Structures are given as structure tokens and as C-alpha cells.
Amino acid sequence: EALAWSYNLPAVNLYNHLKNETKVDVSSYMSKMGINLTNSEYSQLGIALGGTDRGISVEQNASAFATFANGGEHVNPYVISKITAPNGSVIYRHKSKKTKVFSKSTSYIMQQMMKSVISTGTGTQLAWQLNFNTSNVYGKTGTSNDYRDIWFVGSTPGVTLATWMGYDNFYGNSHNLTSASSNTNMTYWAKMANALYQTQPDLFKLEQAPAKPAGAE
């Protein structure tokens, strides 16, 4: 429920428990997903809410989030899959490397938790904005102080998309968005997802709901 409604204190308390009581090395999980932060950032409880010094890119966020859709395995993002010469020979082919970050059980539990963001929480508007079945859609909204940055990252079994609204260069000024910006950003995400679904519906794998692993309670 706390995740569905983006309540801050439960996330901060959980991070504090992991860091100071169970001594979990959170940085090892983050680095495996392509997000490298400083020890100073990890020492701040605000990191549980995304409070980094410089932030991360949309690409990094989408790539890290896709780890849950991939059953706990992370794949580094890339743009070019292959380059073919005029004679038809392949002169370059990208080789993906998978890195295990979480167990399949952990990934499954996270997916189920974040489905509630769409069904009952901060992302319910997607249910009527998307032109496809949302029963296997899950995601997470994000808002920084004073609505400076607005995020939404969402997945189906086959696709992960991330959107961000904000100002990437303040030029020494402070620019805030409005309280309605989260809804605007989710509409943006929905329009992208709908356009992609219209072109390549099979890519979404909407009917391939993951089976519940034996270790998931």
C-alpha cells in the first residue's frame, strides 16, 4: 500500500533498516543495474526516495527497472543491434550480457506490488488511457521536491518504458512544474505505449504473465 501510494516514511525506514541493522550492501545491487553512486549518497536516508547528487538518466532508469521484468537479470542498454555491409555481411553485432541482480522470487514480488500502483494507487489513470489490457502492467511514479522532476517507469512482460519531465539545466535558476505534472507525464507515457503497441503489439507480451516462483510468498 505504501508503494502504491508513494508514501515516503516506509521507504526511508526500510532503507534505514537495511543499511544500519541488517547491513545489506545496497550499492552492490545498484551497480549491477548500471547505477553507480557515491558513498556519500548512500549514507543519506534520502537515497531511498531517489535523493541523489546529480540524478540518473532516463536510459539508466528504464534499464534498471527492466531488471524486474527480466526475472532479476540486468542487461546493459544499447542502441545498435547490428551493422550490415552493402554486400549483406554483418560487420558488427551487439552481444548482450546478463547480470543476475535479484532472484526470480524477488522480481515476481516486486512486479505484484507495483501492479497495485496501476490498479489502486498513483497510476490508476493508465487503466483508461491505455489501449490494451493493463492486468499485466506495473510501474512506479516519482516526484521530487516542489515538482521539479516528474517520473514514470512502467513495464509489461515484454516492454519497459520510462518518461521524465523537468529541466535538465537550471542555468542557476529554479524551475518547478505544477501539481498536475504527474498526470501529464503519465499521459505522455500512455501515448508512447499506445503508439508502440499499435505498431508492434506482440512486443508487449501481454498474455505472458510470469509464473509464481516457488520461493515467492
Side-chain angles (χ1 to χ4, degrees), residues 19-75:
K19 180 178 180 295
N20 296 315
E21 296 186 38
T22 60
K23 306 299 182 182
V24 172
D25 183 10
V26 176
S27 64
S28 66
Y29 292 94
M30 298 289 281
S31 61
K32 288 178 183 178
M33 293 187 288
I35 298 176
N36 297 299
L37 305 174
T38 65
N39 290 334
S40 175
E41 288 171 303
Y42 284 117
S43 70
Q44 305 295 323
L45 293 181
I47 195 68
L49 309 176
T52 62
D53 291 340
R54 293 181 175 272
I56 63 175
S57 69
V58 179
E59 178 190 63
Q60 286 177 301
N61 207 356
S63 175
F65 194 88
T67 303
F68 298 120
N70 292 332
E73 293 183 326
H74 178 257
V75 179

Side-chain angles (χ1 to χ4, degrees), residues 78-89:
Y78 62 94
V79 176
I80 299 174
S81 57
K82 69 177 180 178
I83 300 174
T84 305
N87 64 3
S89 62

Side-chain angles (χ1 to χ4, degrees), residues 105-122:
S105 296
T106 296
S107 298
Y108 177 85
I109 291 170
M110 288 301 300
Q111 290 179 29
Q112 299 307 306
M113 289 175 65
M114 288 188 289
K115 280 185 178 181
S116 63
V117 174
I118 310 301
S119 61
T120 61
T122 57

Side-chain angles (χ1 to χ4, degrees), residues 14-212:
L14 178 58
Y15 180 73
N16 184 56
H17 176 77
L18 291 173
K19 180 178 180 295
N20 296 315
E21 296 186 38
T22 60
K23 306 299 182 182
V24 172
D25 183 10
V26 176
S27 64
S28 66
Y29 292 94
M30 298 289 281
S31 61
K32 288 178 183 178
M33 293 187 288
I35 298 176
N36 297 299
L37 305 174
T38 65
N39 290 334
S40 175
E41 288 171 303
Y42 284 117
S43 70
Q44 305 295 323
L45 293 181
I47 195 68
L49 309 176
T52 62
D53 291 340
R54 293 181 175 272
I56 63 175
S57 69
V58 179
E59 178 190 63
Q60 286 177 301
N61 207 356
S63 175
F65 194 88
T67 303
F68 298 120
N70 292 332
E73 293 183 326
H74 178 257
V75 179
N76 287 330
Y78 62 94
V79 176
I80 299 174
S81 57
K82 69 177 180 178
I83 300 174
T84 305
N87 64 3
S89 62
V90 177
I91 60 177
Y92 169 81
R93 187 186 301 274
H94 174 78
K95 296 181 179 180
S96 295
K97 178 183 178 181
K98 295 182 179 180
T99 301
K100 184 176 181 181
V101 184
F102 306 112
S103 67
K104 290 185 178 180
S105 296
T106 296
S107 298
Y108 177 85
I109 291 170
M110 288 301 300
Q111 290 179 29
Q112 299 307 306
M113 289 175 65
M114 288 188 289
K115 280 185 178 181
S116 63
V117 174
I118 310 301
S119 61
T120 61
T122 57
T124 53
Q125 72 180 72
L126 291 180
W128 53 267
Q129 288 186 324
L130 293 174
N131 297 334
F132 49 83
N133 188 345
T134 61
S135 58
N136 286 323
V137 177
Y138 54 93
K140 186 68 188 74
T141 57
T143 306
S144 64
N145 288 354
D146 301 319
Y147 306 102
R148 289 187 180 183
D149 301 275
I150 306 293
W151 288 89
F152 184 75
V153 190
S155 285
T156 73
V159 172
T160 295
L161 297 173
T163 56
W164 166 81
M165 291 176 60
Y167 293 86
D168 60 357
N169 192 327
F170 291 162
Y171 296 103
N173 300 310
S174 176
H175 300 290
N176 302 333
L177 301 173
T178 71
S179 59
S181 296
S182 183
N183 292 337
T184 303
N185 188 47
M186 278 189 287
T187 298
Y188 171 39
W189 190 94
K191 288 182 179 294
M192 282 207 311
N194 286 337
L196 182 58
Y197 180 76
Q198 185 177 7
T199 304
Q200 294 180 275
D202 294 342
L203 196 64
F204 284 66
K205 301 179 182 179
L206 293 175
E207 307 306 321
Q208 297 185 19
K212 183 178 181 180

